[in-house]
Amino acid sequence: MAVIEEGVPAPAQQGTVVQATDVTRRYGEGATTVDALRGVSLGVEAGQLVAVMGPSGSGKSTLMHILAGLDKPTEGTVEIAGTEITSLDDGKLTRLRRQHIGFVFQFFNLLPMLTAEENVVLPLTIAGEKPERQWLEDLLKQTGLTDRRTHRPSELSGGQQQRVALARALVTRPTILFADEPTGNLDSKTGGEILELLRASVTNYGQTTVMVTHESRAAVIADRILFLADGLIVQELKDASQAQVLDVISSLDS
Amino acid sequence: MITVALKGLLGRKLRAALTAVSIVLGVAMISGTFVLTDTIKAAFGTVFSQVYKNTDAVITGKSAIGGSANNGITPPSLPESLLQKVRALPGVALAEGGITDEAKLVGHNNKVLTSAGGAPSLAFSVNPKGDQRFNPLVLTTGRWPQGPNEIAIDAKTANTKHFAVGDTIGVLTHGPVERFRIVGTVRLGGVSSLGGATIAIFDLPTAQRIFDKVGKLDSIGLASKQNVTPDQLVAQVKPLLPATAQVRTGAQEAKQAAKDTNGFLSFLEYFLLAFGFIALFVGAFVIANTLGITIAQRMRELATLRTLGATRRQVYWSVVLEAFVIGVIASVIGLFLGLALAKLLNALFVSFGIDLPQVGTVFKERTVVVGLLVGVVVTLIAAIRPALRATRVEPIAAVREGAVLPRSRLARFGPYIAIVVILASVGLMLVGLFVGGLATKARLLSLGIGALGVFVGVAMLAPTLVPPIARVLGWPAARWGGASGRLARGNSIRNPSRTASTASALMIGVTLVTLVSVLAAGIKSTFSDSVNKLFTADYALTSQNGFTPTSIASEKALNGVPGVEVVSGVRAGEAEAFGSRIGITAVEPNVSKVIDLKWTEGSAATPAQLGQDGAFVAKSYAKDNKLSVGSPINLKTPTGSVLQLKLLGIFDPPKGGSPFGDITISTTRFDREYANPQDLFSFVTTRGGVTTANTARLKQALARFPDAKIQTKSQFITLEEGGITFLLKLLYVLLSLSILISLFGIVNTLVLTVFERTREIGMLRAVGMTRRQVRNMIRHESIITALLGAALGIPVGIVLALMVGKAISYPAFTIPWLTLIVFVVGAIVAGLFAAIFPARRAGRLNVLEALQYE
Ligand SMILES: Nc1ncnc2c1ncn2[C@@H]1O[C@H](COP(=O)(O)OP(=O)(O)O)[C@@H](O)[C@H]1O
Ligand SMILES: [Mg+2]
């Protein structure tokens, strides 16, 4: 069970929190086989914001799903917070998810019948825990939802909905947060706000984050950028500029 | 998590309500049954405790073969001399004798007033000058009758049939109608309605005269002196009684009388409850299907919950909790709806001529407990499969577009499992039907479980059957229904298991309706076959309803009517032979002229040779009791006398039966042994056969017997089949509840489907489909689903009818094609009906919103 230690704003994680080794993923059988990942290894350090980029169909989502334990690799291993997850049964995986993993989806995936605040605390509700008041207020303030807390998703804009989703992912202070194209369904301006929020959570709370994105702007906020093509990591940049990122992207596209 | 589940339920109010409807109706049926039968039982209880309120002890006739007046046996009367002896006892303060019998009242239209359902036409005597303390009746107007021409009748009959004090009214007992002057109206204290019963009151000598009971009494009411307990009184009376009499305390007598009637009421209760359970079983299908669809539609939501850390167990319990809440709310609503349904059921019975006494509505704790329990448990059972399906939603479904629910590991074997289930269930039914030596309970249980298993099995097989059948059934729609029809046919096949389970719910009702209609058609055809074989008379004489016996005076009235050649009556009574109670009949010597029996031993001359101690029996009875011509038969009558008979003939009745009881004797002997003999039927031949002149003359001769009905052979068949027709109608009405529930199932599926296809419908509208076409599309789909229900149900019903028919060595197997066609047309109409609401919703979808809908 996730135990949120009172008064400690950031998860006290050190070193490598996610470690993938020689991960491959093959879809389908026979003639329709697709090798979405063809041997990917990577480690994510605590407190880092890692961006994953690459052309459509390069395997970004597949990688993300496998890292997050939503999908199993065909070969290879994945460790989260020191636990090898590919062989865990559903119950253990669920508990691991509660304690260590947060998600932000492209399509928000909010529960329509719950208010914004209820959606935010949902992971705690599921785990049978009470939110820590101060932390919750802080989160709502950070995400600018303080005066929207009783609204239902249908009464919120796309950007607001994604902020609810972000707050929901952060509320348990997961070891690692995954976000698959969190801005993919938003306009450029609101998308920018979400990116800033993500960065802020890394900076302020030390929230380790892995994010798939198409936006070169991500370069500005990411500590590390991985480029995927055809199921392989083909390049890696650290503290890159937007120009550098655009360069790599165009080289991959050609 | 509980709050999340409950909020989810609130967020899906329409869906929850649709799910609940089936449980509401099923529970209402159960609670309604309990309320109705409890109310009637309480009414009978009140009636009897009123009747014996001030009676410390009561002496009545005792049937030597068991049974009592409350369950169809006429006990012998008491000798009037007993009254004097009893009065002389030291413990007796007061003793009054009375007559209890049946007297039909005749209305202004010269028709008998009691309803066709056989409510009793009660008759009692009073002593107008005596102490009225034993008299449970109270005068509402006028006074007690006194002298040979006076009568009092019950106030309800007086009111509803427009009789008042001062009027004369016809009374039919053992002879032609007699007229009496009404001097009072009465009611039974403490009861609001006696149902369809009528009451006629005469003074004692008049009652003794008209019921042929001069010098006799049917009961003696006793009051004890102070300090003498009812039990002591009974002990004092006992030594005085002849073998044909018994004495009980008032309380015992009331209890016994209530017990006698409760047998019938318990049957009624189980009978109606069975329909409640069928309704709930259908409801379970509907709920399972509705929840299943809802789960499929909520997949993304459930997957999201899983990614947020919800365990499979939590998902499972959230679905079960949802079902539980729906079950509880629906059951509570159903319980109270049952109060209304009880009234409706009663009205139904009244309309069928069965009018039972009533007191204030009785709503017992047991009704609440059973109703709630059954409703909730059925809902929970129905929720198990959808809940398990919900647990199979993988977290990754939260991020995958168009993910589908993973099939269960067993799904692949579905059709095979289904066939195994069907075979096992049929096997179980065969055991119940054919294996000898089973207790009735075990038999019914194996039949019931077997039938449920067949339904479940067919429903499991249905997803495999649906696509080909739907393609055929949808052909007319696709051919003539334009784009709407083609799309509808496609849609009905697109999710076969959904269409299948929707249709399966309807299948159950259709199966049962088919089963009873096929069986009834068989009974009718063998019955009419039988009559056609046996009936060589021109006319039959029966009572108006065909089953209550008529006075032999009406038969006698036909003797000597010009043109009448033969009149032959068949008496009926109860007796005991070879250790069991049987129905016996008695015939006149000329019976062979009107009924043509096939004799295996003896001949058509046998009836004329019966004399005082001859008897004949049917082949099966002879075989069961190892009888052959010459065998002695000891027949015990209700008065305790034993007739020593000799078997003279054995006949082989047609499959549809004969008008004769187990043992038949001569009317000469019967009329000697049975007080007030009555005819079940009489048969008449006339010169020139059936002619309008003959009919008119016979009717004329029976003018003073309003209860007598003269009929030709075909009229006789129709009348005697009335019982079956009546039962069939009643079964149809009761099964219609299950069918109604399954129609709600279709409504549910369609509404949920429309909901699910919002985007698609928006697209269709955007590319030019009119609202009308959208509505037609839904209608076609609904009709195809309903027809699927009929296509599955009718064959299953026919197969079940075949099995049941074989088991009860059922004579003929007749498929009532016309009725079945009516069912199919009914299914189409039902489909249209079920589509009304969903089609309207689909037609109303706003194109723009529909396209944006996520
Ligand atoms: N469920 C699936 N079944 C079969 N192929 C899939 C599935 N999911 C993804 N793929 C294939 O795997 C490859 C990688 O897909 P994905 O990881 O979604 O790429 P990205 O997110 O980078 O666009 C693509 O070729 C895609 O078609
Ligand atoms: Mg992707």
Side-chain angles (χ1 to χ4, degrees):
Chain A
M1 290 283 145
V3 179
I4 308 282
E5 292 147 77
E6 300 212 5
V8 181
Q13 293 289 340
Q14 298 290 317
T16 307
V17 291
V18 176
Q19 178 67 53
T21 315
D22 298 330
V23 168
T24 65
R25 178 66 166 96
R26 172 172 289 184
Y27 286 114
E29 279 163 31
T32 57
T33 308
V34 176
D35 284 307
L37 295 177
R38 299 189 296 155
V40 173
S41 296
L42 98 113
V44 179
E45 302 294 317
Q48 268 192 347
L49 172 55
V50 179
V52 178
M53 302 190 80
S56 181
S58 57
K60 306 182 293 293
S61 294
T62 305
L63 177 62
M64 173 115 333
H65 298 157
I66 287 174
L67 291 181
L70 289 179
D71 198 0
K72 303 225 164 184
T74 310
E75 280 168 55
T77 57
V78 177
E79 273 178 38
I80 289 182
T83 312
E84 209 290 305
I85 64 163
T86 54
S87 56
L88 289 185
D89 66 20
D90 186 75
K92 292 209 178 88
L93 201 54
T94 303
R95 276 190 291 279
L96 178 115
R97 221 175 261 141
R98 279 186 188 173
Q99 198 175 351
H100 294 296
I101 299 175
F103 285 104
V104 177
F105 306 95
Q106 185 178 351
F107 292 105
F108 324 143
N109 285 21
L110 301 179
L111 266 60
M113 64 283 186
L114 301 184
T115 63
E117 184 174 346
E118 285 167 338
N119 264 297
V120 169
V121 300
L122 187 58
L124 295 171
T125 316
I126 289 171
E129 287 161 14
K130 288 254 169 300
E132 190 202 317
R133 218 53 244 175
Q134 191 50 52
W135 170 227
L136 179 61
E137 292 307 322
D138 211 29
L139 254 184
L140 291 176
K141 202 167 139 224
Q142 278 282 322
T143 46
L145 293 168
T146 318
D147 54 350
R148 290 279 181 276
R149 59 206 307 159
T150 59
H151 289 54
R152 284 178 206 278
S154 56
E155 300 157 343
L156 298 174
S157 72
Q160 285 167 333
Q161 290 189 50
Q162 193 60 306
R163 278 186 269 152
V164 173
L166 184 57
R168 179 178 68 183
L170 291 171
V171 76
T172 58
R173 283 178 278 205
T175 307
I176 182 154
L177 177 105
F178 293 102
D180 192 352
E181 300 193 33
T183 59
N185 213 26
L186 299 174
D187 63 55
S188 152
K189 179 165 169 291
T190 40
E193 286 165 17
I194 293 294
L195 289 179
E196 270 164 38
L197 274 173
L198 274 169
R199 179 67 243 180
S201 75
V202 178
T203 312
N204 299 344
Y205 311 131
Q207 177 62 60
T208 317
T209 304
V210 177
M211 166 179 73
V212 168
T213 184
H214 279 301
E215 305 215 27
S216 53
R217 277 190 285 174
V220 185
I221 62 160
D223 299 315
R224 213 176 136 198
I225 304 176
L226 301 175
F227 289 92
L228 237 63
D230 262 345
L232 289 171
I233 296 178
V234 290
Q235 195 151 6
E236 183 173 340
L237 294 176
K238 280 200 172 130
D239 300 320
S241 70
Q242 197 159 353
Q244 277 175 294
V245 171
L246 286 171
D247 265 358
V248 178
I249 289 176
S250 57
S251 76
L252 286 178
D253 276 349
S254 58
Chain B
M1 195 64 188
I2 292 179
T3 37
V4 175
L6 294 183
K7 286 223 160 117
L9 193 58
L10 274 180
R12 295 183 295 275
K13 280 195 212 72
L14 177 65
R15 274 179 270 189
L18 289 173
T19 318
V21 171
S22 49
I23 287 297
V24 169
L25 293 178
V27 171
M29 184 67 193
I30 287 184
S31 118
T33 299
F34 279 137
V35 169
L36 180 68
T37 53
D38 288 344
T39 303
I40 297 170
K41 274 184 193 166
F44 273 116
T46 317
V47 168
F48 295 123
S49 58
Q50 278 292 318
V51 168
Y52 300 107
K53 194 172 52 179
N54 299 321
T55 312
D56 291 323
V58 59
I59 305 172
T60 54
K62 180 177 158 193
S63 156
I65 58 169
S68 77
N70 292 310
N71 48 30
I73 300 281
T74 314
S77 299
L78 310 164
E80 199 165 8
S81 57
L82 186 61
L83 185 58
Q84 296 311 321
K85 287 191 223 163
V86 172
R87 279 185 176 147
L89 285 172
V92 172
L94 180 73
E96 283 280 0
I99 293 289
T100 311
D101 211 305
E102 299 222 336
K104 290 166 186 154
L105 297 175
V106 180
H108 290 301
N109 57 359
N110 203 31
K111 290 236 166 76
V112 172
L113 288 181
T114 36
S115 54
S121 320
L122 306 169
F124 304 106
S125 66
V126 288
N127 179 356
K129 283 178 284 205
D131 191 318
Q132 299 299 331
R133 89 169 83 165
F134 300 141
N135 187 350
L137 301 167
V138 280
L139 281 168
T140 49
T141 54
R143 57 173 176 82
W144 297 112
Q146 185 172 3
N149 301 316
E150 294 188 355
I151 189 175
I153 64 170
D154 63 290
K156 187 184 166 200
T157 304
N159 281 335
T160 54
K161 308 295 178 182
H162 314 291
F163 283 98
V165 170
D167 293 350
T168 65
I169 187 166
V171 176
L172 204 57
T173 55
H174 298 157
V177 66
E178 268 189 81
R179 300 201 74 81
F180 289 84
R181 195 158 58 81
I182 300 172
V183 296
T185 60
V186 299
R187 65 180 177 81
L188 190 66
V191 189
S192 51
S193 156
L194 273 179
T198 61
I199 303 179
I201 322 280
F202 310 91
D203 72 359
L204 184 61
T206 309
Q208 285 173 323
R209 177 183 63 78
I210 62 177
F211 296 115
D212 291 321
K213 287 175 178 172
V214 176
K216 288 178 187 168
L217 295 171
D218 287 316
S219 65
I220 298 175
L222 302 170
S224 59
K225 291 213 170 103
Q226 254 176 357
N227 305 326
V228 178
T229 65
D231 288 325
Q232 287 166 336
L233 186 65
V234 165
Q236 282 186 17
V237 172
K238 255 191 186 140
L240 295 180
L241 297 181
T244 55
Q246 61 191 348
V247 61
R248 292 200 183 108
T249 66
Q252 281 168 349
E253 185 69 24
K255 227 181 183 169
Q256 183 61 39
K259 213 168 125 192
D260 292 342
T261 47
N262 277 355
F264 162 71
L265 288 172
S266 298
F267 171 76
L268 181 71
E269 181 176 318
Y270 288 128
F271 177 74
L272 291 177
L273 278 181
F275 290 92
F277 283 106
I278 293 171
L280 274 173
F281 182 65
V282 174
F285 267 76
V286 172
I287 296 173
N289 193 31
T290 313
L291 284 176
I293 300 173
T294 314
I295 297 299
Q297 294 179 352
R298 287 171 58 201
M299 217 157 55
R300 196 190 195 113
E301 187 182 310
L302 291 168
T304 304
L305 285 172
R306 296 275 284 123
T307 63
L308 298 179
T311 57
R312 293 209 156 135
R313 188 187 287 262
Q314 281 178 312
V315 168
Y316 179 83
W317 284 110
S318 77
V319 176
V320 172
L321 175 74
E322 190 171 313
F324 177 78
V325 173
I326 292 177
V328 170
I329 296 175
S331 302
V332 171
I333 298 174
L335 269 180
F336 288 98
L337 194 67
L339 289 173
L341 195 69
K343 293 247 177 335
L344 202 71
L345 280 172
N346 191 51
L348 172 72
F349 283 122
V350 171
S351 78
F352 277 118
I354 306 174
D355 194 352
L356 295 162
Q358 300 264 302
V359 285
T361 304
V362 178
F363 196 34
K364 281 198 190 166
E365 254 169 55
R366 183 265 274 113
T367 311
V368 177
V369 172
V370 174
L372 281 182
L373 208 66
V374 170
V376 172
V377 168
V378 166
T379 318
L380 288 180
I381 291 175
I384 291 177
R385 215 175 92 94
L388 284 176
R389 274 170 70 89
T391 64
R392 287 204 298 273
V393 174
E394 297 284 347
I396 197 157
V399 288
R400 270 200 191 134
E401 266 303 314
V404 286
L405 259 186
R407 279 150 64 92
S408 86
R409 268 158 295 160
L410 294 177
R412 197 143 68 80
F413 307 110
Y416 306 103
I417 299 175
I419 287 169
V420 170
V421 169
I422 293 172
L423 290 178
S425 309
V426 169
L428 194 62
M429 288 187 78
L430 292 177
V431 168
L433 289 170
F434 295 104
V435 172
L438 281 181
T440 314
K441 242 192 192 143
R443 215 175 270 286
L444 287 177
L445 209 64
S446 61
L447 278 179
I449 295 176
L452 296 193
V454 168
F455 289 136
V456 172
V458 174
M460 282 167 71
L461 195 58
T464 320
L465 301 177
V466 157
I469 304 180
R471 237 167 254 136
V472 175
L473 293 177
W475 185 80
R479 177 75 182 72
W480 291 291
S484 312
R486 274 195 301 280
L487 283 169
R489 179 162 83 155
N491 283 339
S492 70
I493 304 171
R494 152 162 158 189
N495 197 332
S497 58
R498 184 182 296 183
T499 313
S501 42
T502 312
S504 296
L506 181 59
M507 162 194 78
I508 299 170
V510 174
T511 298
L512 295 173
V513 167
T514 306
L515 172 68
V516 298
S517 73
V518 172
L519 288 180
I523 294 181
K524 281 188 183 176
S525 82
T526 40
F527 176 77
S528 57
D529 177 61
S530 208
V531 174
N532 284 325
K533 281 204 178 106
L534 296 175
F535 193 109
T536 53
D538 296 316
Y539 294 93
L541 171 64
T542 65
S543 62
Q544 290 291 342
N545 63 21
F547 63 84
T548 46
T550 54
S551 108
I552 57 173
S554 50
E555 177 205 338
K556 300 253 155 70
L558 295 183
N559 281 315
V561 170
V564 169
E565 286 173 332
V566 178
V567 180
S568 190
V570 178
R571 318 262 200 275
E574 302 263 340
E576 192 183 288
F578 303 105
S580 47
R581 205 150 81 203
I582 54 170
I584 66 160
T585 42
V587 292
E588 297 179 19
N590 58 5
V591 69
S592 290
K593 289 187 181 155
V594 288
I595 294 173
D596 180 21
L597 288 177
K598 201 169 112 199
W599 295 90
T600 54
E601 295 194 47
S603 70
T606 305
Q609 296 157 358
L610 291 175
Q612 288 296 333
D613 45 9
F616 65 80
V617 300
K619 200 168 130 188
S620 57
Y621 191 77
K623 195 175 152 221
D624 290 348
N625 296 289
K626 302 190 178 57
L627 302 177
S628 56
V629 165
S631 299
I633 298 173
N634 287 346
L635 194 75
K636 197 168 167 195
T637 69
T639 57
S641 57
V642 176
L643 321 190
Q644 292 175 340
L645 306 171
K646 206 169 88 184
L647 187 65
L648 297 185
I650 298 174
F651 69 95
D652 186 11
K655 285 179 173 175
S658 76
F660 302 123
D662 287 326
I663 296 177
T664 304
I665 59 174
S666 69
T667 48
T668 334
R669 186 66 189 271
F670 186 90
D671 294 355
R672 221 176 81 195
E673 301 292 340
Y674 285 79
N676 304 317
Q678 293 190 299
D679 280 330
L680 194 54
F681 326 95
S682 300
F683 299 100
V684 183
T685 60
T686 46
R687 205 169 306 126
V690 175
T691 63
T692 24
N694 280 339
T695 311
R697 271 198 291 270
L698 291 170
K699 283 206 167 132
Q700 170 73 35
L702 291 169
R704 288 161 67 224
F705 298 91
D707 190 35
K709 190 168 188 172
I710 195 86
Q711 315 143 76
T712 63
K713 191 198 277 190
S714 63
Q715 288 167 337
F716 176 69
I717 291 175
T718 313
L719 181 71
E720 293 299 317
E721 280 176 354
I724 287 290
T725 313
F726 161 79
L727 188 66
L728 194 61
K729 274 190 204 152
L730 187 65
L731 290 174
Y732 283 164
V733 173
L734 292 171
L735 285 173
S736 67
L737 182 72
S738 310
I739 292 184
L740 182 70
I741 291 178
S742 56
L743 291 188
F744 273 107
I746 297 183
V747 176
N748 285 3
T749 305
L750 288 176
V751 167
L752 294 175
T753 303
V754 167
F755 192 74
E756 185 178 83
R757 298 191 199 138
T758 302
R759 229 184 182 147
E760 180 180 315
I761 294 170
M763 184 274 293
L764 288 172
R765 295 271 287 118
V767 298
M769 201 174 206
T770 64
R771 276 180 203 284
R772 222 180 102 93
Q773 282 174 310
V774 169
R775 283 198 297 264
N776 276 336
M777 180 175 78
I778 305 294
R779 283 188 198 118
H780 280 301
E781 190 173 349
S782 180
I783 291 172
I784 292 173
T785 310
L787 282 175
L788 270 168
L792 292 172
I794 291 176
V796 176
I798 291 175
V799 170
L800 289 188
L802 256 175
M803 278 169 60
V804 173
K806 267 272 176 310
I808 54 177
S809 54
Y810 199 64
F813 180 72
T814 313
I815 295 184
W817 291 110
L818 192 69
T819 313
L820 296 185
I821 290 171
V822 171
F823 291 167
V824 172
V825 175
I828 295 176
V829 175
L832 272 174
F833 180 74
I836 294 174
F837 176 63
R840 209 169 43 194
R841 274 175 76 89
R844 277 212 192 129
L845 282 182
N846 177 310
V847 183
L848 211 62
E849 275 174 24
L851 283 174
Q852 281 167 351
Y853 177 89
E854 201 217 321

